[in-house]
Amino acid sequence: MTLETVELRKAFGGVVALDGASVAFQAGKVNALIGPNGSGKTTFFNCVTGMIRPDSGRTTYQGQEITRKPPHAIARAGVGRTFQLCRVFPRMTALDNVLAAVRPGGFPKGLRGARSRSDLDRARGWLTRLGIEHLADAEARAMSWGQQKLLELAGVLMAEPETILLDEPAGGVNPALLDRIGALVRELNAEGRTFVIVEHNMDLVMSISDHVVVFDRGRPIAAGPPSVIRTDERVLGAYLGV
């Protein structure tokens, strides 16, 4: 297992978002985390990546506890993450957005320290790999929503994480781009990267995932390969509403 939580709990006032969530994701695989709205998926991501602190429980990554480490330390440990709402610098070019990921100490420092030829070549290489090299000199705000999602992923990849958490990569993108994202995940996974994907598009989840974890009311209710999850009665009841 690469990323594992034990009894992770988080409440916001009287609302329990995570209720003792114990989850293990498989190393070297495409893992999916699904569940109805409000089931705790994004809160889980936020706790795992240090964006918020859980009230109790612990998280380990490759056997090392990361429960209360800050986000930059977790990123340095090898965990990259995208967000449901893209986090890009809208008035910076696509190339500068990717270069900003080279130095976790902040984007101004990152840009000053990331202008080496090797970093420029790597940044352009990721833009090319994701199919947006023609937008290298365009400001991020001029890009479509789907292109911004690819740009955010390029920035994550620039930091060379071993494990990548994607929060709703299919949200708001057109079918052609959706196919491209699915193919990219599979290509990058074949190169050795582990993925954990929060997603509502079941066609995408079932087509690219090796292992699926299902959340309901802040905790996992089922886990297994897509073929098993499709017919699990708990999933059909909680998530598919039948």
Side-chain angles (χ1 to χ4, degrees):
M1 300 302 175
T2 182
L3 184 65
E4 188 170 2
T5 67
V6 177
E7 291 293 322
L8 211 61
R9 188 181 189 280
K10 181 64 183 179
F12 299 97
V15 177
V16 178
L18 293 177
D19 189 15
S22 296
V23 185
F25 296 109
Q26 297 180 356
K29 303 293 185 180
V30 177
N31 302 268
L33 177 59
I34 67 173
N37 287 328
S39 60
K41 303 181 300 296
T42 294
T43 299
F44 180 83
F45 265 22
N46 287 338
C47 286
V48 165
T49 57
M51 303 299 294
I52 59 176
R53 288 195 172 189
D55 299 327
S56 60
R58 60 188 179 89
T59 302
T60 58
Y61 178 65
Q62 295 183 342
Q64 301 296 314
E65 185 161 357
I66 59 170
T67 310
R68 286 172 174 77
K69 289 188 176 181
H72 68 270
I74 294 173
R76 286 196 187 106
V79 180
R81 186 253 172 101
T82 66
F83 292 82
Q84 186 175 344
L85 298 177
C86 294
R87 294 196 176 186
V88 297
F89 301 111
R91 295 181 181 274
M92 287 168 52
T93 67
L95 181 61
D96 281 342
N97 265 275
V98 179
L99 287 168
V102 178
R103 304 287 186 268
F107 76 87
K109 177 183 176 183
L111 291 178
R112 288 196 300 271
R115 286 292 182 178
S116 70
R117 173 53 57 185
S118 63
D119 283 338
L120 281 166
D121 288 346
R122 282 203 309 121
R124 291 187 182 279
W126 281 120
L127 290 174
T128 299
R129 180 77 181 274
L130 272 65
I132 52 174
E133 70 279 5
H134 61 292
L135 298 169
D137 297 322
E139 290 186 349
R141 61 179 176 170
M143 301 169 68
S144 72
W145 180 251
Q147 290 168 339
Q148 288 185 28
K149 280 184 173 286
L150 292 174
L151 177 60
E152 184 183 35
L153 178 56
V156 170
L157 289 164
M158 188 69 177
E160 300 180 350
E162 296 175 356
T163 298
I164 301 174
L165 280 58
L166 302 180
D167 197 348
E168 296 195 22
V173 305
N174 64 54
L177 186 54
L178 180 59
D179 289 342
R180 179 60 183 145
I181 289 173
L184 275 169
V185 169
R186 268 305 182 192
E187 290 170 12
L188 293 165
N189 173 248
E191 294 168 9
R193 293 178 178 84
T194 298
F195 281 86
V196 182
I197 304 174
V198 164
E199 186 50 66
H200 288 289
N201 186 311
M202 289 299 99
D203 288 339
L204 178 65
V205 167
M206 296 302 173
S207 66
I208 68 172
S209 301
D210 303 302
H211 181 74
V212 182
V213 176
V214 185
F215 261 31
D216 187 36
R217 300 179 183 179
R219 62 190 312 159
I221 59 169
S227 58
V228 172
I229 295 300
R230 281 192 185 99
T231 58
D232 189 292
E233 292 184 359
R234 295 165 297 178
V235 179
L236 295 174
Y239 189 69
L240 302 178
V242 297

